[in-house]
Amino acid sequence: MSTTFKILRFDPPKDEHPHFQEYIHTPIPGDTMLEVLKEIRDQQDPSISFRYSCREAVCGSCALTINGTICLACKTQFEALKTDVVVIEPLPNLEIIKDLIVDFKPFWDAYNFIQPYLQPEGQAVPEKGHCVEEKDMEKVFQFITCILCGSCYAACPVATRDGRYLGPAALAKLYRFAIDPRDKRPWSALARVDNPTGVWGCDTVFRCNDVCPKEVRPADGIEGLRRKLVVDRTKHLFGRKK
Amino acid sequence: MVSHDILIVGGGLAGLAAALTADPKLNVAVLSKVHPIRSHSVAAQGGINAALANHPNAKDDTWEKHAFDTIKGSDYLADQDAAELMCQLAIPTMYELDHWGVPFSRFPGGVIAQRPFGGAGYPRTCYAADRTGQVLLHTLYEQCIRKNVTIYDEIVVTNIVVRDGRCVGLVAYDLATGEIRPFAAKAVIFGTGGYGRIYKLSTNAYINFGSGIGMAYRAGIPLKDLEFVQFHPTALYGKNILITEAARGEGGYLVNNKGRRFMEDYAPTAMELAPRDIVARSITTEILKGNGFENAYVHLDLRHLGREKIEKRLPGIQEICINFSGIDPADTPIPIQPAQHYSMGGIDVDKNCASLVKGFYAAGECACVSVHGANRLGGNSLLDAIVFGKIAGVSASKFINEGGFAGPRDAEITAEAKTLTDQFESIRKRDKGHNVYQLLNDLKILMGDKAGIFRDGKQLQEGLDGLSGLKEASRDSYIYGSCTRFCQEFVTLIEFKYMTDLAETILLGGLKRTETRGSHFRTDFPKRDDDNWLKHTLASYSDKGPVLSYREVNVDKYKPQERKY
Ligand SMILES: Cc1cc2nc3c(=O)[nH]c(=O)nc-3n(C[C@H](O)[C@H](O)[C@H](O)COP(=O)(O)OP(=O)(O)OC[C@H]3O[C@@H](n4cnc5c(N)ncnc54)[C@H](O)[C@@H]3O)c2cc1C
Ligand code: SF4
Ligand code: FES
């Protein structure tokens, strides 16, 4: 079916303002929105820029806003949109670099801030690896499916309001490490987010859970951190460390 | 000009592993055309091999047995000393990865879980559900953050600068600014991945064009065994998204339109878990015999595993099937067909990842040591990428620390960047010619038709003839778009040149190799011929096309025997 695609175009500093450009295209049945975008680019206008890599919803490159909804282009079936006008825009809350490509800097800054790496006891690798029961390891599985696509950050009203807020993905990542049985980070590492730009900034409107394409439920991580912080703070005050 | 001691190209497993082992006193940076965690490694599903002997049925597994399986699986084209090195290092590497934070699935008792994979005598594939690549790549990236590694992402390397047999730097296209920039280095490591996307049907990420392999070739380094292309037996019909071998490792059946587990006829003992080359050919043969569905695919049936096991062990596969095919494998068999998957061949390097050009190293799928020979076993390439990535980081550091670098050649690197900038400008001025996306599409179809699962001399020759037409046409290709920043068309144009180099090497190497070995199946020469062909193909660049020579295989330990499964 012939469909109109309105794609947001912006090439600063050449363009002063973003504008929409229209393309008429007939997608192939079964096409994802990433395939549609590539077809339009390859056949009509090679100057359209957007990110992609895996085309199977695992690399986190292609998060966009399609008809007002934040989603992965490669995971969105064209037919499921059921409209004859499709509006394609970049992720909100992040600055546009060109067309559909946004600057992830604030997202990565937050990610780096939480010290996103395992902090086990000691430097030496245990001879036979760490001994961890599956049921304990399983607790992190919900959070390791995160592909760092930025959708939750883009959808978060707190991040819109306050650029310093760390956002759902970074906080959920911190929780992933905090509950990893191998991780022994000091209390001070968690205390870094015990404030309004960290876990207490969350408005609990759960937009992040709704948009996440990998069902991470990052707000569960924020909730978990809050609980942990309250308990740990008490313990810490009484001189017992983690 | 940006200048580093070591420049690593590629943010996949090989590149990041190299960054983590390079001497921390040296100034190291990673360059990648996508953010590291967007690299193709993230898509690997099934697992990574090491003879940890954790499975109840694998108590007597050893790294020597792992090495033997790798060598037999390679159809004896792997260098046996290299395969042994990789399998021996696999064991400490798993514990190190665990210590770095990889959330491996566990067995009772708290040890790393292992599952059976094709071509392996024991269950020795470590995994994290079916998201192994993702957790490995994210973990290595996390360690790079911990170690403060400099990363330049969205930089497309276009050329290697070699002077007097030494690598002195790189030229790259900076997507965000649109500039072509020089980069100086004392040593360079390539972890640029495979070329899957020169085939129409491929399980690889859209970005896998193999340009790094082409750059090394043009820089004077031979390409080894490029004719060996792995086709994975089970890609989702229509989308070519991989359905991991772990689906069969967990007990999945391959079934034809008569409802039969046809692997009985091809590999009666190993059945669905025979090596990939054998399973891929068996499926194609069934389809050609009319035993497929819609003459195009067969079924991978997981229903008997039960919903619970599928949701626990293969959640990613279930998600892929639901998203991309609208079927739930717990209720419906998965339609699958073979597709291009992996490159056994690559940049010719030794066990230290060193090449003919001083200061230039390569590791991972872009390189060929060779540990996979004519056919790679599942779970061995994540291992290859990490083990040899680490070795490359050490080798390059050693080279610099031992005074291997002969002094900067900054002016010459800048001059090369200028030449490319001028070329870009003149291409941008053209207003007619061939569309590079069209040429690329033609190349992909040609490779599938002429250098696919079954090959013969006539087809391979036709492939070479067709290719020279495409090369000719690409000389006047032009840039239609007016952009300079994030100009994907320009990137494709550059990469296309390298892709045609790779295609030519695959076709020519395949044409000359008049035998059948591993993934290279010649219908006109259906037997392995150890007397004449137990040797590596080396292809060197010349103006007139690849010049082929051959090198002995290291067969120190295991005498080649017939491969039966
Ligand atoms: C779907 C799928 C599933 C797989 N599953 C498994 C499995 O279960 N077990 C297993 O062992 N193997 C598996 N493999 C194979 C394995 O994933 C790959 O061989 C391995 O990840 C390759 O790693 P690499 O680091 O060499 O390359 P890649 O991960 O491909 O990384 C290449 C890097 O190079 C960069 N790059 C490339 N060209 C340029 C350039 N010109 N300029 C700048 N940067 C550049 C890219 O940006 C990228 O960062 C699978 C492969 C596929 C396709
Ligand atoms: S939590 Fe979900 S939405 Fe947020 S970055 Fe991760 S995968 Fe994307
Ligand atoms: S292209 Fe990788 S998530 Fe969409």
Side-chain angles (χ1 to χ4, degrees):
Chain A
M1 190 183 54
S2 162
T3 304
T4 304
F5 294 89
K6 292 188 179 177
I7 301 179
L8 188 121
R9 305 299 309 272
F10 185 39
D11 187 2
K14 257 203 292 188
D15 303 339
E16 233 168 87
H17 303 290
H19 59 280
F20 282 100
Q21 196 161 338
E22 286 191 16
Y23 302 90
I24 313 284
H25 178 68
T26 306
I28 304 164
D31 264 357
T32 63
M33 280 307 295
L34 179 61
E35 285 165 319
V36 169
L37 272 169
K38 284 189 70 194
E39 285 156 19
I40 295 175
R41 182 196 68 185
D42 297 0
Q43 295 161 19
Q44 297 190 35
D45 185 351
S47 71
I48 310 172
S49 301
F50 47 96
R51 289 192 177 108
Y52 57 84
S53 170
C54 71
R55 65 79 170 84
E56 56 182 87
V58 62
C59 77
S61 300
C62 68
L64 292 174
T65 312
I66 299 180
N67 284 349
T69 304
I70 293 173
C71 59
L72 296 179
C74 71
K75 200 187 165 187
T76 306
Q77 297 289 329
F78 162 73
E79 276 152 13
L81 297 174
K82 297 201 168 58
T83 49
D84 44 20
V85 180
V86 178
V87 182
I88 307 174
E89 297 165 276
L91 286 181
N93 282 357
L94 296 161
E95 217 170 289
I96 302 176
I97 302 178
K98 179 169 185 283
D99 301 340
L100 303 174
I101 295 180
V102 292
D103 187 354
F104 262 61
K105 186 166 184 306
F107 179 84
W108 291 123
D109 284 349
Y111 172 84
N112 292 349
F113 176 82
I114 59 99
Q115 302 178 330
Y117 39 83
L118 193 78
Q119 300 182 19
E121 202 135 48
Q123 290 289 311
V125 179
E127 201 181 323
K128 290 262 161 195
H130 292 265
C131 180
V132 186
E133 287 303 331
E134 176 79 350
K135 66 173 188 345
D136 297 322
M137 196 53 110
E138 264 177 5
K139 291 182 190 142
V140 308
F141 288 178
Q142 173 186 350
F143 300 101
I144 57 164
T145 57
C146 170
I147 55 173
L148 300 169
C149 68
S151 296
C152 55
Y153 187 91
C156 176
V158 185
T160 313
R161 236 179 14 237
D162 181 357
R164 292 166 306 168
Y165 177 53
L166 293 171
L171 291 169
K173 179 66 75 184
L174 176 57
Y175 187 62
R176 169 254 177 276
F177 286 110
I179 57 172
D180 190 312
R182 299 165 297 178
D183 194 89
K184 303 286 184 258
R185 69 185 60 210
W187 184 75
S188 56
L190 292 189
R192 294 167 59 123
V193 302
D194 193 2
N195 51 45
T197 57
V199 292
W200 305 107
C202 172
D203 271 355
T204 60
V205 290
F206 305 125
R207 290 288 317 277
C208 52
N209 288 359
D210 298 342
V211 296
C212 175
K214 303 300 280 189
E215 287 164 44
V216 175
R217 299 185 53 84
D220 291 358
I222 301 179
E223 280 290 322
L225 277 177
R226 284 180 172 183
R227 259 180 282 120
K228 201 169 165 46
L229 275 165
V230 173
V231 175
D232 285 6
R233 201 190 300 151
T234 325
K235 277 193 205 162
H236 195 73
L237 284 177
F238 289 98
R240 274 181 292 152
K241 285 212 194 119
K242 178 184 168 182
Chain B
M1 174 180 355
V2 174
S3 173
H4 289 271
D5 292 328
I6 303 181
L7 279 180
I8 298 168
V9 185
L13 287 173
L16 297 188
L20 291 171
T21 55
D23 182 346
K25 289 193 284 302
L26 297 175
N27 178 358
V28 180
V30 174
L31 295 166
S32 173
K33 63 178 180 176
V34 294
H35 184 283
I37 62 139
R38 320 285 186 216
S39 301
H40 173 60
S41 292
V42 82
Q45 301 167 352
I48 176 166
N49 298 338
L52 303 182
N54 286 348
H55 193 283
N57 300 339
K59 288 300 168 205
D60 57 341
D61 196 11
T62 59
W63 66 260
E64 287 92 344
K65 290 179 181 164
H66 180 190
F68 174 73
D69 287 343
T70 302
I71 292 161
K72 180 180 172 197
S74 82
D75 223 346
Y76 294 90
L77 194 68
D79 287 313
Q80 300 190 356
D81 53 338
E84 289 197 315
L85 176 70
M86 177 178 82
C87 298
Q88 194 172 7
L89 290 175
I91 297 169
T93 302
M94 278 329 108
Y95 297 136
E96 185 172 41
L97 290 167
D98 183 41
H99 193 60
W100 282 349
V102 174
F104 284 119
S105 298
R106 302 282 158 160
F107 276 153
V111 294
I112 296 171
Q114 301 193 276
R115 61 168 42 132
F117 245 51
Y122 293 89
R124 66 166 77 93
T125 306
C126 310
Y127 58 93
D130 53 2
R131 303 199 170 93
T132 315
Q134 185 185 341
V135 298
L136 289 173
L137 187 64
H138 282 224
T139 302
L140 292 200
Y141 180 65
E142 289 157 15
Q143 290 300 311
C144 287
I145 304 263
R146 182 169 74 88
K147 295 204 166 169
N148 239 324
V149 176
T150 306
I151 293 173
Y152 300 95
D153 62 0
E154 304 197 321
I155 302 268
V156 185
V157 174
T158 62
N159 297 78
I160 303 169
V161 186
V162 174
R163 288 292 178 274
D164 308 328
R166 291 164 184 280
C167 177
V168 293
L170 302 166
V171 174
Y173 170 61
D174 186 334
L175 286 164
T177 64
E179 282 170 314
I180 291 162
R181 296 169 58 183
F183 287 85
K186 295 179 182 163
V188 167
I189 301 172
F190 264 34
T192 51
Y195 54 67
R197 287 285 160 181
I198 69 173
Y199 282 84
K200 186 92 186 159
L201 305 186
S202 170
T203 62
N204 284 200
Y206 277 161
I207 61 166
N208 278 25
F209 289 132
S211 57
I213 308 175
M215 279 172 230
Y217 174 65
R218 293 256 171 172
I221 303 165
L223 303 185
K224 194 197 285 168
D225 294 338
L226 227 64
E227 63 269 32
F228 296 100
V229 181
Q230 180 162 81
F231 294 85
H232 197 288
T234 59
L236 186 64
Y237 175 64
K239 292 285 175 191
N240 308 303
I241 295 178
L242 183 77
I243 304 298
T244 171
E245 189 163 310
R248 283 170 286 135
E250 295 292 349
Y253 297 152
L254 288 170
V255 181
N256 65 15
N257 69 5
K258 311 246 172 345
R260 261 194 80 226
R261 283 177 70 188
F262 56 84
M263 282 310 296
E264 230 166 57
D265 303 340
Y266 303 90
T269 315
M271 294 291 287
E272 279 85 357
L273 286 180
R276 290 178 176 173
D277 54 333
I278 296 173
V279 183
R281 279 196 293 274
S282 308
I283 294 172
T284 309
T285 308
E286 284 295 302
I287 296 169
L288 291 173
K289 279 204 302 208
N291 293 341
F293 299 87
E294 300 177 41
N295 279 326
Y297 58 88
V298 297
H299 279 155
L300 172 60
D301 196 347
L302 305 184
R303 289 174 300 177
H304 57 284
L305 302 181
R307 182 171 292 279
E308 196 187 335
K309 187 164 181 185
I310 293 175
E311 283 174 2
K312 190 160 161 26
R313 298 282 182 77
L314 302 165
I317 290 306
Q318 190 180 32
E319 190 187 319
I320 286 171
C321 291
I322 293 173
N323 283 340
F324 295 96
S325 254
I327 60 163
D328 183 341
D331 302 325
T332 316
I334 310 171
I336 57 94
Q337 70 182 169
Q340 190 287 342
H341 181 60
Y342 183 80
S343 161
M344 268 75 71
I347 303 169
D348 175 35
V349 293
D350 63 16
K351 275 189 296 184
N352 298 315
C353 302
S355 73
L356 196 76
V357 167
K358 289 212 171 55
F360 184 90
Y361 300 80
E365 193 170 337
C366 71
C368 179
V369 174
S370 143
V371 288
H372 309 303
N375 172 61
R376 164 177 80 84
L377 295 187
N380 263 356
S381 71
L382 294 176
L383 181 64
D384 166 19
I386 294 175
V387 163
F388 286 102
K390 287 174 65 179
I391 291 177
V394 173
S395 297
S397 305
K398 199 158 166 254
F399 168 79
I400 296 174
N401 289 336
E402 290 177 356
F405 181 60
R409 308 287 282 258
D410 292 6
E412 286 155 276
I413 309 168
T414 310
E416 287 224 8
K418 174 83 174 59
T419 312
L420 192 69
T421 310
D422 294 345
Q423 255 174 33
F424 185 25
E425 284 310 314
S426 77
I427 295 172
R428 273 162 49 77
K429 285 199 191 100
R430 286 183 205 156
D431 55 1
K432 59 178 193 306
H434 289 90
N435 175 327
V436 65
Y437 291 118
Q438 185 58 50
L439 294 175
L440 177 57
N441 197 42
D442 293 349
L443 174 69
K444 290 175 170 193
I445 292 170
L446 176 134
M447 289 306 282
D449 286 352
K450 307 297 178 192
I453 296 182
F454 291 106
R455 303 163 171 189
D456 66 36
K458 183 167 160 286
Q459 272 179 1
L460 289 160
Q461 186 56 54
E462 287 166 2
L464 283 167
D465 298 341
L467 185 69
S468 48
L470 283 177
K471 279 174 102 172
E472 194 51 45
S474 71
R475 276 185 231 287
D476 71 344
S477 50
Y478 82 118
I479 292 179
Y480 169 95
S482 57
C483 62
T484 49
R485 301 167 60 228
F486 281 100
C487 184
Q488 211 56 51
E489 203 185 7
F490 175 59
V491 175
T492 309
L493 204 87
I494 290 192
E495 295 202 290
F496 187 75
K497 176 179 82 179
Y498 296 124
M499 286 184 246
T500 56
D501 286 341
L502 303 187
E504 191 171 18
T505 320
I506 293 169
L507 288 161
L508 186 66
L511 177 67
K512 297 293 175 198
R513 188 175 280 274
T514 47
E515 66 156 353
T516 285
R517 185 183 298 271
S519 67
H520 176 63
F521 195 96
R522 286 281 299 254
T523 51
D524 46 352
F525 295 93
K527 285 244 156 23
R528 193 173 83 194
D529 176 1
D530 287 336
D531 292 339
N532 295 304
W533 287 106
L534 185 57
K535 55 189 182 188
H536 297 295
T537 305
L538 292 174
S540 306
Y541 175 79
S542 86
D543 295 344
K544 296 186 194 66
V547 178
L548 300 189
S549 59
Y550 294 91
R551 185 191 292 154
E552 291 304 303
V553 178
N554 177 309
V555 282
D556 279 357
K557 212 155 176 185
Y558 305 103
K559 229 172 90 57
Q561 353 160 328
E562 197 191 338
R563 255 186 353 144
K564 278 210 187 96
Y565 288 95

